[in-house]
Amino acid sequence: MNNILIATDFSDNSHKALQYAILIAKATQSAIYLVHTYLPRYIEPGIYADADTMQKALDDQRDSLYSKMVPLASIVEDAGVKCHVVLEMNDVISGVFDTVEKYNIDLIVMGRTGSGGFLSKLIGSNAAHITAKAHIPVLTVPNQVEGVTINKILYATQLEFDENHILAQVFELSHQLGANVALTKVNAPFEPDIQSDKQFIEHIKTAFVKEAFSIDTTISNSVTEGILTTAAERGINLIVLAAHHRNFLTQLIDPSKSKQVIIRSDIPVLTYQL
């Protein structure tokens, strides 16, 4: 990991997300790209504005936003982490993905906004939406999280696919953070259980024989409830998921388990794409 993107809207929530970005950047010796996306302000109706006036308004807006970024960049640099300030005139989702491509970002960090209301439940927050579309890991940080610590990681495995390439990254991160890792498989009604759990567990233990970790299964009424309950009972401070990309229509009909966990979790969730 070399480059971490942290998207900020200057809220308390995005400040918490920044603290997690700094924590991981220091552990992995990565640089931080501090990103804010914005749309241009419009001149008030009825006021004539020529091209120069419009350009000045845009320049003033950008200067004002940059002045808000400077203190945040100072926080990053004071922590001993290299920081790049990026202002993107774009919507949040497009601006984040443009920055990812432009600067070869390895990890996206975002504060999670909102958890209620019909549209939030149907579509999800920006963080959940970006997680569903991203091809790199995304860390979402909820507003209610307390403290900035990662020393107990819960990896929620499906035990249906080969996830060892993702597990290797999780173990590497755990070493860098000095964290313990526990794996859990949630067995819930109506969830597919095609492959033998025992076969995958043995496969994981063989592949990571030098790693110290626990692995077990949990019974719950739903996968989401099982993951969140297990995390709470064990004092977990980071949930890690491996998710499949799904198309928009599928997400509307049957929201992905990862999105449900992201929206409902009160601790950070790190999602990798299978």
Side-chain angles (χ1 to χ4, degrees):
M1 187 181 298
N2 297 307
N3 299 316
I4 298 173
L5 181 158
I6 165 69
T8 181
D9 60 1
F10 311 116
S11 65
D12 290 341
N13 189 198
S14 62
H15 183 73
K16 290 181 181 179
L18 177 61
Q19 296 303 315
Y20 275 93
I22 292 172
L23 174 67
I24 296 174
K26 291 178 69 175
T28 60
Q29 298 184 333
S30 300
I32 284 180
Y33 283 79
L34 184 63
V35 180
H36 176 75
T37 64
Y38 67 100
L39 296 175
R41 298 194 191 114
Y42 293 99
I43 301 296
E44 292 184 21
I47 298 178
Y48 172 76
D50 56 22
D52 289 341
T53 302
M54 292 291 288
Q55 186 59 54
K56 185 179 185 307
L58 289 173
D59 292 343
D60 289 346
Q61 180 183 10
R62 188 174 183 86
D63 290 345
S64 175
L65 292 172
Y66 187 82
S67 67
K68 292 183 178 181
M69 298 285 270
V70 171
L72 299 180
S74 295
I75 292 173
V76 175
E77 291 169 346
D78 288 347
V81 176
K82 187 175 182 179
C83 184
H84 305 273
V85 172
V86 180
L87 285 172
E88 281 279 331
M89 191 164 65
N90 213 330
D91 63 88
V92 174
I93 294 171
S94 299
V96 165
F97 285 132
D98 285 352
T99 305
V100 166
E101 294 300 321
K102 188 182 298 184
Y103 298 106
N104 297 316
I105 300 298
D106 302 298
L107 170 69
I108 299 170
V109 180
M110 295 188 70
R112 191 197 70 207
T113 57
S115 60
F118 176 75
L119 285 179
S120 180
K121 292 177 181 178
L122 188 65
I123 306 298
S125 65
N126 281 326
H129 195 67
I130 286 172
T131 301
K133 290 182 172 293
H135 292 277
I136 61 173
V138 180
L139 176 66
T140 58
V141 179
N143 186 50
Q144 62 267 45
V145 68
E146 296 181 2
V148 182
T149 303
I150 301 178
N151 55 26
K152 293 184 179 180
I153 299 174
L154 180 68
Y155 181 91
T157 175
Q158 301 176 62
L159 294 180
E160 293 290 338
F161 310 95
D162 184 356
E163 303 170 42
N164 284 0
H165 62 296
I166 292 176
L167 269 172
Q169 298 177 65
V170 174
F171 283 126
E172 180 182 6
L173 180 62
S174 72
H175 293 318
Q176 293 166 326
L177 292 168
N180 298 320
V181 178
L183 282 69
T184 191
K185 158 73 181 297
V186 178
N187 290 325
F190 310 112
E191 290 295 329
D193 191 14
I194 301 170
Q195 304 292 339
S196 166
D197 288 357
K198 183 178 179 180
Q199 174 185 338
F200 274 97
I201 289 173
E202 289 303 318
H203 182 52
I204 292 170
K205 287 182 176 179
T206 300
F208 301 102
V209 65
K210 294 183 179 180
E211 299 291 347
F213 63 94
S214 63
I215 181 168
D216 56 30
T217 57
T218 302
I219 298 175
S220 180
N221 291 327
S222 75
V223 173
T224 301
E225 290 294 341
I227 293 172
L228 298 180
T229 299
T230 300
E233 291 175 347
R234 300 184 185 182
I236 298 296
N237 39 46
L238 176 66
I239 295 172
V240 179
L241 306 173
H244 284 277
H245 276 293
R246 302 159 67 93
N247 63 42
F248 181 70
L249 181 60
T250 304
Q251 290 180 40
L252 289 180
I253 296 172
D254 180 22
S256 67
K257 303 299 184 300
S258 57
K259 180 175 285 189
Q260 293 179 42
V261 174
I262 289 167
I263 291 175
R264 295 181 54 189
S265 177
D266 58 5
I267 62 174
V269 179
L270 175 60
T271 307
Y272 293 82
Q273 296 292 346
L274 282 172

